mmCIF file of all heavy atoms in Angstrom:
data_model
loop_
_atom_site.group_PDB
_atom_site.id
_atom_site.type_symbol
_atom_site.label_atom_id
_atom_site.label_comp_id
_atom_site.label_asym_id
_atom_site.label_seq_id
_atom_site.Cartn_x
_atom_site.Cartn_y
_atom_site.Cartn_z
ATOM 1 N N ARG Z 7 168.122 4.530 -64.811
ATOM 2 C CA ARG Z 7 168.727 5.743 -64.450
ATOM 3 C C ARG Z 7 169.955 6.185 -65.396
ATOM 4 O O ARG Z 7 170.124 7.284 -65.653
ATOM 5 C CB ARG Z 7 169.382 5.676 -62.982
ATOM 6 C CG ARG Z 7 168.242 5.697 -61.928
ATOM 7 C CD ARG Z 7 168.539 5.131 -60.606
ATOM 8 N NE ARG Z 7 167.488 5.192 -59.705
ATOM 9 C CZ ARG Z 7 166.374 4.605 -59.713
ATOM 10 N NH1 ARG Z 7 166.106 3.762 -60.690
ATOM 11 N NH2 ARG Z 7 165.493 4.763 -58.781
ATOM 12 N N LEU Z 8 170.689 5.142 -65.934
ATOM 13 C CA LEU Z 8 171.721 5.370 -66.874
ATOM 14 C C LEU Z 8 171.047 5.918 -68.249
ATOM 15 O O LEU Z 8 171.593 6.874 -68.733
ATOM 16 C CB LEU Z 8 172.529 4.169 -67.213
ATOM 17 C CG LEU Z 8 173.563 4.289 -68.265
ATOM 18 C CD1 LEU Z 8 174.622 5.282 -67.846
ATOM 19 C CD2 LEU Z 8 174.222 2.972 -68.502
ATOM 20 N N ILE Z 9 169.933 5.446 -68.544
ATOM 21 C CA ILE Z 9 169.292 5.879 -69.887
ATOM 22 C C ILE Z 9 168.800 7.300 -69.648
ATOM 23 O O ILE Z 9 169.090 8.190 -70.630
ATOM 24 C CB ILE Z 9 168.103 4.938 -70.180
ATOM 25 C CG1 ILE Z 9 168.598 3.545 -70.581
ATOM 26 C CG2 ILE Z 9 167.264 5.579 -71.279
ATOM 27 C CD1 ILE Z 9 167.407 2.554 -70.755
ATOM 28 N N ARG Z 10 168.281 7.645 -68.562
ATOM 29 C CA ARG Z 10 167.920 9.065 -68.269
ATOM 30 C C ARG Z 10 169.014 9.955 -68.354
ATOM 31 O O ARG Z 10 168.924 11.141 -68.831
ATOM 32 C CB ARG Z 10 167.212 9.123 -67.035
ATOM 33 C CG ARG Z 10 165.850 8.429 -66.874
ATOM 34 C CD ARG Z 10 165.222 8.506 -65.481
ATOM 35 N NE ARG Z 10 164.031 7.757 -65.446
ATOM 36 C CZ ARG Z 10 163.314 7.406 -64.297
ATOM 37 N NH1 ARG Z 10 163.733 7.991 -63.125
ATOM 38 N NH2 ARG Z 10 162.242 6.706 -64.291
ATOM 39 N N LEU Z 11 170.133 9.548 -67.715
ATOM 40 C CA LEU Z 11 171.397 10.457 -67.801
ATOM 41 C C LEU Z 11 171.872 10.622 -69.223
ATOM 42 O O LEU Z 11 172.223 11.743 -69.511
ATOM 43 C CB LEU Z 11 172.502 9.753 -66.890
ATOM 44 C CG LEU Z 11 173.861 10.413 -66.903
ATOM 45 C CD1 LEU Z 11 173.671 11.897 -66.209
ATOM 46 C CD2 LEU Z 11 174.886 9.633 -66.135
ATOM 47 N N LEU Z 12 171.904 9.539 -70.001
ATOM 48 C CA LEU Z 12 172.353 9.621 -71.398
ATOM 49 C C LEU Z 12 171.419 10.491 -72.127
ATOM 50 O O LEU Z 12 171.824 11.331 -73.109
ATOM 51 C CB LEU Z 12 172.470 8.197 -72.001
ATOM 52 C CG LEU Z 12 173.564 7.421 -71.450
ATOM 53 C CD1 LEU Z 12 173.485 5.915 -72.025
ATOM 54 C CD2 LEU Z 12 174.898 7.912 -71.640
ATOM 55 N N LEU Z 13 170.085 10.485 -71.912
ATOM 56 C CA LEU Z 13 169.219 11.158 -72.730
ATOM 57 C C LEU Z 13 169.297 12.743 -72.410
ATOM 58 O O LEU Z 13 168.966 13.540 -73.117
ATOM 59 C CB LEU Z 13 167.697 10.766 -72.393
ATOM 60 C CG LEU Z 13 167.353 9.342 -73.029
ATOM 61 C CD1 LEU Z 13 166.014 9.037 -72.589
ATOM 62 C CD2 LEU Z 13 167.445 9.352 -74.480
ATOM 63 N N ARG Z 14 169.843 13.037 -71.227
ATOM 64 C CA ARG Z 14 169.963 14.482 -70.936
ATOM 65 C C ARG Z 14 171.262 14.951 -71.381
ATOM 66 O O ARG Z 14 171.598 16.163 -71.279
ATOM 67 C CB ARG Z 14 169.907 14.687 -69.391
ATOM 68 C CG ARG Z 14 168.545 14.488 -68.855
ATOM 69 C CD ARG Z 14 168.447 14.927 -67.338
ATOM 70 N NE ARG Z 14 166.986 14.841 -66.792
ATOM 71 C CZ ARG Z 14 166.498 13.840 -66.298
ATOM 72 N NH1 ARG Z 14 167.203 12.635 -66.064
ATOM 73 N NH2 ARG Z 14 165.225 13.816 -65.904
ATOM 74 N N PHE Z 15 172.140 14.071 -71.924
ATOM 75 C CA PHE Z 15 173.514 14.562 -72.429
ATOM 76 C C PHE Z 15 173.338 15.300 -73.772
ATOM 77 O O PHE Z 15 172.706 14.910 -74.714
ATOM 78 C CB PHE Z 15 174.277 13.295 -72.828
ATOM 79 C CG PHE Z 15 175.622 13.668 -73.425
ATOM 80 C CD1 PHE Z 15 176.634 14.203 -72.634
ATOM 81 C CD2 PHE Z 15 175.898 13.330 -74.700
ATOM 82 C CE1 PHE Z 15 177.847 14.479 -73.232
ATOM 83 C CE2 PHE Z 15 177.125 13.713 -75.285
ATOM 84 C CZ PHE Z 15 178.105 14.250 -74.566
ATOM 85 N N PRO Z 16 173.798 16.556 -73.813
ATOM 86 C CA PRO Z 16 173.512 17.396 -74.995
ATOM 87 C C PRO Z 16 174.476 17.135 -76.156
ATOM 88 O O PRO Z 16 175.429 17.827 -76.382
ATOM 89 C CB PRO Z 16 173.785 18.920 -74.392
ATOM 90 C CG PRO Z 16 174.845 18.657 -73.371
ATOM 91 C CD PRO Z 16 174.502 17.371 -72.701
ATOM 92 N N GLN Z 17 174.108 15.993 -76.808
ATOM 93 C CA GLN Z 17 175.024 15.545 -77.901
ATOM 94 C C GLN Z 17 175.051 16.574 -78.977
ATOM 95 O O GLN Z 17 173.959 17.157 -79.363
ATOM 96 C CB GLN Z 17 174.609 14.074 -78.328
ATOM 97 C CG GLN Z 17 173.219 14.146 -79.145
ATOM 98 C CD GLN Z 17 173.344 14.453 -80.611
ATOM 99 O OE1 GLN Z 17 174.421 14.329 -81.249
ATOM 100 N NE2 GLN Z 17 172.229 14.910 -81.218
ATOM 101 N N HIS Z 18 176.148 16.639 -79.614
ATOM 102 C CA HIS Z 18 176.344 17.683 -80.802
ATOM 103 C C HIS Z 18 176.865 16.827 -82.008
ATOM 104 O O HIS Z 18 177.058 17.504 -83.145
ATOM 105 C CB HIS Z 18 177.373 18.775 -80.431
ATOM 106 C CG HIS Z 18 176.987 19.547 -79.307
ATOM 107 N ND1 HIS Z 18 176.300 20.864 -79.601
ATOM 108 C CD2 HIS Z 18 176.932 19.447 -78.053
ATOM 109 C CE1 HIS Z 18 175.982 21.345 -78.381
ATOM 110 N NE2 HIS Z 18 176.450 20.665 -77.544
ATOM 111 N N GLY Z 19 177.231 15.572 -81.867
ATOM 112 C CA GLY Z 19 177.909 14.862 -82.914
ATOM 113 C C GLY Z 19 177.061 14.280 -84.121
ATOM 114 O O GLY Z 19 177.414 14.078 -85.287
ATOM 115 N N VAL Z 20 175.615 14.201 -83.776
ATOM 116 C CA VAL Z 20 174.718 13.603 -84.784
ATOM 117 C C VAL Z 20 173.807 14.700 -85.342
ATOM 118 O O VAL Z 20 173.221 15.422 -84.380
ATOM 119 C CB VAL Z 20 173.919 12.454 -84.088
ATOM 120 C CG1 VAL Z 20 173.063 11.808 -85.209
ATOM 121 C CG2 VAL Z 20 174.805 11.413 -83.629
ATOM 122 N N ALA Z 21 173.539 14.745 -86.555
ATOM 123 C CA ALA Z 21 172.724 15.839 -87.151
ATOM 124 C C ALA Z 21 171.348 15.491 -87.420
ATOM 125 O O ALA Z 21 170.448 16.303 -87.497
ATOM 126 C CB ALA Z 21 173.534 16.440 -88.363
ATOM 127 N N ALA Z 22 171.081 14.153 -87.754
ATOM 128 C CA ALA Z 22 169.747 13.783 -88.117
ATOM 129 C C ALA Z 22 169.605 12.364 -88.026
ATOM 130 O O ALA Z 22 170.544 11.599 -87.918
ATOM 131 C CB ALA Z 22 169.540 14.108 -89.661
ATOM 132 N N LEU Z 23 168.295 11.782 -88.056
ATOM 133 C CA LEU Z 23 167.955 10.387 -88.061
ATOM 134 C C LEU Z 23 167.480 10.029 -89.337
ATOM 135 O O LEU Z 23 166.760 10.713 -90.067
ATOM 136 C CB LEU Z 23 166.845 10.158 -87.013
ATOM 137 C CG LEU Z 23 166.118 8.853 -87.066
ATOM 138 C CD1 LEU Z 23 166.994 7.624 -86.538
ATOM 139 C CD2 LEU Z 23 164.851 8.932 -86.339
ATOM 140 N N VAL Z 24 168.067 8.872 -89.942
ATOM 141 C CA VAL Z 24 167.621 8.227 -91.255
ATOM 142 C C VAL Z 24 167.372 6.871 -91.083
ATOM 143 O O VAL Z 24 168.263 6.079 -90.683
ATOM 144 C CB VAL Z 24 168.688 8.524 -92.290
ATOM 145 C CG1 VAL Z 24 168.161 7.972 -93.683
ATOM 146 C CG2 VAL Z 24 169.088 10.051 -92.484
ATOM 147 N N THR Z 25 166.097 6.383 -91.372
ATOM 148 C CA THR Z 25 165.787 4.997 -91.212
ATOM 149 C C THR Z 25 165.160 4.518 -92.516
ATOM 150 O O THR Z 25 164.280 5.134 -93.024
ATOM 151 C CB THR Z 25 164.908 4.797 -90.012
ATOM 152 O OG1 THR Z 25 164.557 3.351 -89.914
ATOM 153 C CG2 THR Z 25 163.547 5.557 -90.161
ATOM 154 N N ASP Z 26 165.585 3.345 -92.938
ATOM 155 C CA ASP Z 26 165.159 2.837 -94.250
ATOM 156 C C ASP Z 26 164.378 1.532 -93.957
ATOM 157 O O ASP Z 26 164.898 0.581 -93.401
ATOM 158 C CB ASP Z 26 166.363 2.471 -95.193
ATOM 159 C CG ASP Z 26 165.977 1.927 -96.529
ATOM 160 O OD1 ASP Z 26 164.853 1.918 -96.852
ATOM 161 O OD2 ASP Z 26 166.990 1.518 -97.197
ATOM 162 N N VAL Z 27 163.095 1.503 -94.363
ATOM 163 C CA VAL Z 27 162.207 0.312 -94.085
ATOM 164 C C VAL Z 27 161.588 -0.144 -95.394
ATOM 165 O O VAL Z 27 160.910 0.510 -96.131
ATOM 166 C CB VAL Z 27 160.939 0.764 -93.164
ATOM 167 C CG1 VAL Z 27 160.151 -0.447 -92.864
ATOM 168 C CG2 VAL Z 27 161.594 1.481 -91.890
ATOM 169 N N PRO Z 28 161.932 -1.454 -95.672
ATOM 170 C CA PRO Z 28 161.318 -2.107 -96.868
ATOM 171 C C PRO Z 28 159.852 -2.304 -96.596
ATOM 172 O O PRO Z 28 159.463 -2.996 -95.610
ATOM 173 C CB PRO Z 28 162.128 -3.423 -97.007
ATOM 174 C CG PRO Z 28 162.580 -3.630 -95.634
ATOM 175 C CD PRO Z 28 162.889 -2.354 -94.979
ATOM 176 N N GLY Z 29 158.944 -1.797 -97.455
ATOM 177 C CA GLY Z 29 157.603 -1.883 -97.339
ATOM 178 C C GLY Z 29 156.909 -3.023 -98.133
ATOM 179 O O GLY Z 29 157.547 -3.808 -98.644
ATOM 180 N N PRO Z 30 155.628 -2.934 -98.156
ATOM 181 C CA PRO Z 30 154.812 -3.916 -99.018
ATOM 182 C C PRO Z 30 155.076 -3.950 -100.387
ATOM 183 O O PRO Z 30 155.260 -2.883 -101.084
ATOM 184 C CB PRO Z 30 153.401 -3.521 -98.679
ATOM 185 C CG PRO Z 30 153.451 -2.738 -97.498
ATOM 186 C CD PRO Z 30 154.687 -1.913 -97.500
ATOM 187 N N LYS Z 31 155.318 -5.150 -100.955
ATOM 188 C CA LYS Z 31 155.513 -5.375 -102.409
ATOM 189 C C LYS Z 31 154.170 -5.454 -103.100
ATOM 190 O O LYS Z 31 154.208 -5.269 -104.350
ATOM 191 C CB LYS Z 31 156.477 -6.425 -102.662
ATOM 192 C CG LYS Z 31 157.887 -6.280 -102.026
ATOM 193 C CD LYS Z 31 158.663 -7.534 -102.342
ATOM 194 C CE LYS Z 31 160.004 -7.339 -101.770
ATOM 195 N NZ LYS Z 31 160.942 -8.683 -102.044
ATOM 196 N N ARG Z 32 153.187 -5.875 -102.477
ATOM 197 C CA ARG Z 32 151.946 -6.094 -103.160
ATOM 198 C C ARG Z 32 150.956 -4.812 -102.866
ATOM 199 O O ARG Z 32 151.223 -4.020 -101.982
ATOM 200 C CB ARG Z 32 151.174 -7.304 -102.468
ATOM 201 C CG ARG Z 32 150.849 -7.252 -101.026
ATOM 202 C CD ARG Z 32 150.156 -8.387 -100.471
ATOM 203 N NE ARG Z 32 149.855 -8.266 -99.102
ATOM 204 C CZ ARG Z 32 148.690 -7.878 -98.621
ATOM 205 N NH1 ARG Z 32 147.706 -7.722 -99.489
ATOM 206 N NH2 ARG Z 32 148.371 -7.924 -97.328
ATOM 207 N N ARG Z 33 149.988 -4.705 -103.838
ATOM 208 C CA ARG Z 33 149.166 -3.607 -103.751
ATOM 209 C C ARG Z 33 148.140 -3.953 -102.571
ATOM 210 O O ARG Z 33 147.656 -4.886 -102.366
ATOM 211 C CB ARG Z 33 148.230 -3.500 -104.978
ATOM 212 C CG ARG Z 33 147.165 -2.383 -104.990
ATOM 213 C CD ARG Z 33 147.804 -1.060 -105.015
ATOM 214 N NE ARG Z 33 148.529 -0.684 -106.139
ATOM 215 C CZ ARG Z 33 149.236 0.465 -106.342
ATOM 216 N NH1 ARG Z 33 149.144 1.364 -105.314
ATOM 217 N NH2 ARG Z 33 149.863 0.639 -107.408
ATOM 218 N N LEU Z 34 147.904 -2.846 -101.711
ATOM 219 C CA LEU Z 34 147.071 -2.890 -100.462
ATOM 220 C C LEU Z 34 145.823 -2.274 -100.692
ATOM 221 O O LEU Z 34 145.656 -1.311 -101.464
ATOM 222 C CB LEU Z 34 147.809 -2.335 -99.307
ATOM 223 C CG LEU Z 34 149.120 -2.997 -98.913
ATOM 224 C CD1 LEU Z 34 149.794 -2.190 -97.651
ATOM 225 C CD2 LEU Z 34 148.959 -4.404 -98.636
ATOM 226 N N SER Z 35 144.785 -2.682 -99.899
ATOM 227 C CA SER Z 35 143.541 -1.914 -99.909
ATOM 228 C C SER Z 35 142.928 -2.019 -98.533
ATOM 229 O O SER Z 35 143.251 -2.809 -97.731
ATOM 230 C CB SER Z 35 142.588 -2.553 -100.939
ATOM 231 O OG SER Z 35 142.196 -3.875 -100.533
ATOM 232 N N PHE Z 36 142.086 -1.093 -98.204
ATOM 233 C CA PHE Z 36 141.275 -1.109 -96.937
ATOM 234 C C PHE Z 36 139.746 -0.950 -97.242
ATOM 235 O O PHE Z 36 139.413 0.108 -97.872
ATOM 236 C CB PHE Z 36 141.816 0.104 -96.015
ATOM 237 C CG PHE Z 36 140.989 0.045 -94.744
ATOM 238 C CD1 PHE Z 36 141.423 -0.659 -93.636
ATOM 239 C CD2 PHE Z 36 139.911 0.866 -94.546
ATOM 240 C CE1 PHE Z 36 140.797 -0.601 -92.430
ATOM 241 C CE2 PHE Z 36 139.225 0.765 -93.388
ATOM 242 C CZ PHE Z 36 139.709 0.119 -92.212
ATOM 243 N N ALA Z 37 139.014 -1.893 -96.761
ATOM 244 C CA ALA Z 37 137.562 -1.838 -97.055
ATOM 245 C C ALA Z 37 137.320 -1.656 -98.511
ATOM 246 O O ALA Z 37 136.373 -0.862 -98.919
ATOM 247 C CB ALA Z 37 136.926 -0.830 -96.180
ATOM 248 N N GLY Z 38 138.152 -2.275 -99.337
ATOM 249 C CA GLY Z 38 137.886 -2.055 -100.822
ATOM 250 C C GLY Z 38 138.529 -0.828 -101.521
ATOM 251 O O GLY Z 38 138.416 -0.669 -102.595
ATOM 252 N N ARG Z 39 139.066 -0.004 -100.627
ATOM 253 C CA ARG Z 39 139.614 1.236 -101.143
ATOM 254 C C ARG Z 39 141.109 0.992 -101.475
ATOM 255 O O ARG Z 39 141.865 0.659 -100.485
ATOM 256 C CB ARG Z 39 139.472 2.508 -100.253
ATOM 257 C CG ARG Z 39 138.126 3.034 -100.303
ATOM 258 C CD ARG Z 39 137.078 2.285 -99.425
ATOM 259 N NE ARG Z 39 135.823 3.121 -99.223
ATOM 260 C CZ ARG Z 39 134.803 2.527 -98.686
ATOM 261 N NH1 ARG Z 39 134.737 1.330 -98.308
ATOM 262 N NH2 ARG Z 39 133.743 3.256 -98.577
#
């Protein structure tokens, strides 16, 4: 119930989401492609 209340809060302080994920270092393939 607290999460639902917070999600309905009309926040104005944050402008965007930015997430940085380190991905594979090796070359990948699928079914030989």
